[in-house]
């Protein structure tokens, strides 16, 4: 079955960096658009960034542009989210997801990111 396993979360001070990884199995990774989402306590889940199948384009929400970078390695079936200049408002559980034909069908279990002020 399809599995998406996130790692790399943790506690960091404001201004610091973290790199999230998401290892995929059970699917043809290079056929899927991959995305990162986040959910803060008491808030709706929100889109963070996504990357096309071969990495030919990326898109991210305005609040993370210039600070977060999404990338992928299709040889390793892994997608990354490099997060720099972290802010307390970035605190959330971060999820990776896989999309086929525009629909995010598969989700990971999430990894906690906490940014202290």
């Amino acid at each position: 079955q399809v599995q998406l396993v996130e790692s790399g979360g943790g506690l960091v001070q404001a201004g610091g960096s973290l790199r999230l990884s998401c290892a995929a199995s059970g699917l043809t990774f290079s056929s899927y658009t991959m995305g990162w989402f986040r959910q803060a306590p008491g808030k709706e889940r929100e889109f963070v960034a996504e990357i096309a199948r071969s990495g030919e384009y990326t898109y991210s929400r305005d609040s993370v542009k210039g600070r977060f970078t999404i990338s992928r390695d299709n040889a390793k079936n892994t997608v990354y989210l490099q997060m720099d200049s972290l802010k307390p408002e970035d605190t959330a559980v971060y999820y990776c997801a896989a999309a086929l034909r525009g629909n995010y069908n598969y989700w990971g279990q999430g990894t906690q990111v906490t940014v202290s002020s």
Side-chain angles (χ1 to χ4, degrees):
Q1 72 277 22
V2 175
Q3 281 193 309
L4 302 177
V5 180
E6 301 96 336
S7 61
L11 173 64
V12 64
Q13 287 188 330
S17 297
L18 284 174
R19 188 193 196 205
L20 305 183
S21 300
C22 172
S25 61
L27 76 172
T28 305
F29 184 73
S30 59
S31 296
Y32 286 77
T33 293
M34 297 300 296
W36 286 96
F37 294 75
R38 66 187 181 186
Q39 187 167 19
K43 294 188 176 180
E44 298 282 322
R45 185 173 60 196
E46 64 181 19
F47 168 81
V48 176
E50 70 178 6
I51 184 166
R53 292 174 294 175
S54 298
E56 64 268 28
Y57 85 82
T58 63
Y59 182 75
S60 58
R61 67 183 300 110
D62 287 347
S63 62
V64 307
K65 284 180 180 176
R67 300 189 299 120
F68 291 10
T69 303
I70 188 171
S71 62
R72 68 190 294 163
D73 185 339
N74 285 351
K76 295 182 178 180
N77 287 3
T78 301
V79 62
Y80 306 96
L81 187 67
Q82 177 67 42
M83 305 187 294
D84 299 317
S85 302
L86 282 160
K87 303 176 181 180
E89 52 263 44
D90 295 318
T91 295
V93 177
Y94 282 71
Y95 300 89
C96 75
L100 198 61
R101 291 186 287 274
N103 296 313
Y104 278 97
N105 306 101
Y106 302 109
W107 295 82
Q109 83 289 348
T111 186
Q112 176 71 46
V113 171
T114 303
V115 185
S116 63
S117 57

